[in-house]
Amino acid sequence: MQIDKKFISRMTHIYGLIVVVSNILAVIVPTVVSTPLGDSENMRRWSEFLSSTNLADFSIVAAFSVPTVVCFSYSSRIFKSEEKITRSVAEIPSVFSISSLIGWNLYYLLETPFVIYAKIHLGIRIKGILISSWMFALFSGLTAWTISYLAIEILNRTVLLPKVFPEGHIRRNSFSVRPVFKHLLLFCFVVSSVFPSTLLLTSLISVQVNNSLPVHAGIIFITALLLLLALAITLALSRIIIRPLNELTEAAGRIKDGDYKTRVSIVTNDELGTLADSFNDMADSLAEKEFMRDTFGKVVDPEVRDYLMKGAGKSALGEPLRGETRTVTVLFCDIRNFTAMSEKMAAADVVSLLNRYFTELGKCITAHHGIINKYIGDAIMAIFGAPMESDNSARDAFTAALEMRDALERVNAVFKTEGRPQLNFGIGIHTGPVFAGTIGAESRMEYTVIGDTVNTASRLEALCKAYKVDLLVSEAAAHHLDSARTEDNPQIPPLVFVAEAEIRGKSEPMRIFTA
């Protein structure tokens, strides 16, 4: 995945600007909110002290400096590597917005020692000052946090994250400050309920205190009760939403692991119910497609199935490819005297014998990257090097043939104990160019190979009878085996020259070998 660092850098600059604007707005909010002053003369003396020391300006600068430093240092850290970018880019809204809260808390901490100094040296009563200073820092921090987080999160989700993670699968750190959905609901509760309720309650108390009126405790009690009720509603809503989402996530994980019988038990007529119904329908569709895929893999070789289903058998326009020319090795294997043997057996016994025989020999072929292209009665046609390429298809075919000998011995040993006839086969192997692809009518096609190489391999297999051997390898295949026979491949036995045979359709004799 190629990451556009310049684009991410531009976005982080925009995010930083949002944080600055949010903090500017945060300074404005407390100025329109009344706070309980208590003793106006006391506050006047405190204001004069602030003016003489420029403390307020210094604290505001500190409150603005912290977010700037945090945003800059975090951006610098994640740009050290692409790995850090992918791990940290989703955390930017949380980190940048939290920096504002840190800055305004620092503002309060910086002001507190000066308040204590004013109490000691000027005799100023500090209770009301500390309360009003804390409220200023609280309201400013919450305002900056709310505005910056929502603005950056929206931009991050709609612009930056789709660019960095076009296919999803956003990485999550072991320790993350990024809120999950439950935390987002609690955040909404704070912003929409706690924050405005506190502002209104503070303004009301300020009016009562500043006009020497008794504070109405009932209003505080009712506000707290309403906030608890809003919190309960938020938690209940989060449970209603999050539990089905967790169930869907767990079910999706089971489907990913291949359990297509998975179902979710979400029954409701809202959007979650629609999603659950769609999920169950999807699971049914996937189960059906998996059944078709499994069945398809039994009709054709699994490698051909996967090759075609992945779209490798289609052109860019989606039309089936008619094929391509490539060099492969073709192996033909035929049972000797099977026609005469089968005439003495019941049809069901013939099918049972062939199925067991084909199963054992098929394992040898697929174990060496070959595909069984077709069964022709009691014969097997196998291809090595198509549709999946091989670095030496002749080596793969020859090794498979040697293992087929051993497999035949095992099959015959079992058949002997069961009173079944003993089988013998002949194998022909030839390497050369073929036309490989999907061939047939528009309504019925198959993947196969066509060419003189196929005919030659078939005729070599037929010559096994004449030369009384069970394996014949063409000169072309032998040449590829010689190149594969090195000290690293001692398992490839040397070939034995058989003859220069006349091959039907060939103008010149062909040197053939066995092993």
Side-chain angles (χ1 to χ4, degrees):
M1 178 179 66
Q2 188 67 29
I3 295 179
D4 188 348
K5 292 185 177 181
K6 290 184 178 179
F7 175 76
I8 299 175
S9 178
R10 287 196 299 270
M11 291 302 299
T12 55
H13 291 159
I14 294 173
Y15 294 167
L17 181 61
I18 290 174
V19 172
V20 173
V21 173
S22 300
N23 280 277
I24 293 173
L25 294 174
V27 177
I28 299 174
V29 171
T31 62
V32 298
V33 178
S34 300
T35 55
L37 300 178
D39 186 347
S40 58
E41 175 61 24
N42 200 56
M43 291 301 298
R44 183 187 62 79
R45 295 173 62 192
W46 170 247
S47 299
E48 292 176 353
F49 174 75
L50 291 179
S51 300
S52 64
T53 58
N54 294 321
L55 172 62
D57 296 335
F58 174 74
S59 300
I60 291 292
V61 170
F64 274 70
S65 300
V66 170
T68 303
V69 172
V70 170
C71 295
F72 179 79
S73 61
Y74 188 79
S75 299
S76 301
R77 184 178 68 84
I78 69 173
F79 274 98
K80 289 182 178 179
S81 66
E82 291 190 357
E83 173 74 12
K84 287 186 176 294
I85 291 176
T86 56
R87 284 185 176 275
S88 306
V89 69
E91 308 280 341
I92 292 178
S94 300
V95 174
F96 278 31
S97 58
I98 287 175
S99 67
S100 296
L101 281 177
I102 297 173
W104 286 105
N105 277 308
L106 178 64
Y107 165 87
Y108 182 71
L109 292 175
L110 287 175
E111 196 174 66
T112 301
F114 289 92
V115 175
I116 297 174
Y117 175 85
K119 173 181 173 59
I120 296 173
H121 294 279
L122 302 178
I124 296 175
R125 291 185 291 275
I126 64 173
K127 181 178 180 181
I129 296 173
L130 288 175
I131 292 175
S132 61
S133 178
W134 174 76
M135 286 185 176
F136 180 84
L138 174 65
F139 294 156
S140 299
L142 284 175
T143 302
W145 176 50
T146 302
I147 296 173
S148 60
Y149 178 80
L150 291 178
I152 297 174
E153 180 70 9
I154 290 172
L155 280 176
N156 218 40
R157 292 192 180 203
T158 57
V159 180
L160 183 55
L161 291 181
K163 185 80 172 180
V164 180
F165 303 97
E167 298 180 359
H169 300 286
I170 299 177
R171 302 181 65 174
R172 190 177 183 89
N173 296 325
S174 56
F175 173 77
S176 174
V177 294
R178 179 177 172 81
V180 294
F181 192 74
K182 181 179 180 180
H183 297 157
L184 284 177
L185 287 175
L186 292 175
F187 174 77
C188 291
F189 163 72
V190 172
V191 172
S192 62
S193 297
V194 176
F195 194 18
S197 298
T198 304
L199 288 175
L200 292 174
L201 182 62
T202 302
S203 297
L204 179 60
I205 294 175
S206 298
V207 170
Q208 293 174 334
V209 172
N210 296 334
N211 290 278
S212 301
L213 298 174
V215 177
H216 200 300
I219 296 177
I220 300 176
F221 175 77
I222 292 174
T223 303
L225 185 62
L226 291 175
L227 287 177
L228 287 175
L229 179 61
L231 177 61
I233 293 173
T234 302
L235 293 176
L237 181 62
S238 69
R239 184 178 179 85
I240 290 174
I241 296 175
I242 293 173
R243 282 191 64 185
L245 290 178
N246 289 337
E247 185 176 347
L248 285 166
T249 302
E250 293 173 0
R254 292 195 294 271
I255 286 183
K256 181 181 178 182
D257 294 335
D259 182 9
Y260 298 106
K261 295 181 180 179
T262 293
R263 296 294 179 273
V264 292
S265 58
I266 303 171
V267 182
T268 178
N269 61 351
D270 57 13
E271 290 83 352
L272 284 172
T274 302
L275 177 61
D277 292 338
S278 300
F279 183 91
N280 289 334
D281 292 341
M282 179 195 69
D284 290 335
S285 177
L286 288 173
E288 181 180 354
K289 289 179 180 178
E290 181 63 19
F291 173 76
M292 294 173 63
R293 179 178 180 275
D294 184 58
T295 303
F296 187 28
K298 294 177 181 177
V299 176
V300 301
D301 190 274
E303 284 194 16
V304 175
R305 174 201 64 194
D306 295 339
Y307 172 80
L308 297 175
M309 293 185 71
K310 288 178 180 178
K314 290 185 178 181
S315 68
L317 299 176
E319 297 295 329
L321 287 176
R322 295 304 176 187
E324 59 181 330
T325 299
R326 63 166 63 184
T327 298
V328 303
T329 298
V330 180
L331 178 152
F332 269 89
C333 178
D334 189 25
I335 300 177
R336 293 287 168 260
N337 303 316
F338 186 75
T339 301
M341 185 189 307
S342 62
E343 289 178 351
K344 302 175 183 179
M345 301 171 61
D349 292 336
V350 173
V351 171
S352 174
L353 181 143
L354 283 176
N355 285 344
R356 294 167 67 180
Y357 166 79
F358 286 148
T359 297
E360 291 303 316
L361 268 62
K363 294 176 182 178
C364 304
I365 293 170
T366 56
H368 294 280
H369 317 295
I371 66 167
I372 297 175
N373 182 251
K374 62 187 67 175
Y375 296 106
I376 310 170
D378 59 302
I380 299 174
M381 173 183 169
I383 307 170
F384 296 81
M388 308 305 293
E389 293 186 2
S390 169
D391 58 347
N392 194 320
S393 60
R395 177 202 60 205
D396 293 338
F398 182 69
T399 307
L402 297 181
E403 292 187 7
M404 289 166 70
R405 280 177 172 173
D406 297 333
L408 181 64
E409 290 183 6
R410 294 193 299 271
V411 169
N412 278 333
V414 175
F415 284 173
K416 184 176 182 179
T417 61
E418 297 176 354
R420 295 177 181 268
Q422 299 292 285
L423 304 180
N424 295 294
F425 61 37
I427 296 177
I429 297 175
H430 181 52
T431 301
V434 296
F435 175 85
T438 51
I439 300 170
E442 291 296 330
S443 59
R444 175 69 171 87
M445 307 188 80
E446 70 172 359
Y447 182 89
T448 189
V449 294
I450 293 177
D452 180 66
T453 299
V454 180
N455 298 332
T456 301
S458 176
R459 288 161 187 165
L460 283 175
E461 178 275 318
L463 284 176
C464 287
K465 295 179 182 178
Y467 291 103
K468 295 182 174 54
V469 293
D470 64 351
L471 172 63
L472 284 176
V473 179
S474 71
E475 185 175 5
H479 175 73
H480 286 278
L481 287 175
D482 288 339
S483 64
R485 189 180 294 109
T486 63
E487 294 181 359
D488 296 331
N489 293 283
Q491 72 274 19
I492 301 178
L495 296 177
V496 177
F497 175 71
V498 175
E500 290 193 3
E502 297 286 341
I503 305 294
R504 185 160 54 91
K506 297 287 186 181
S507 59
E508 297 181 0
M510 175 185 290
R511 290 168 58 85
I512 56 177
F513 303 82
T514 190

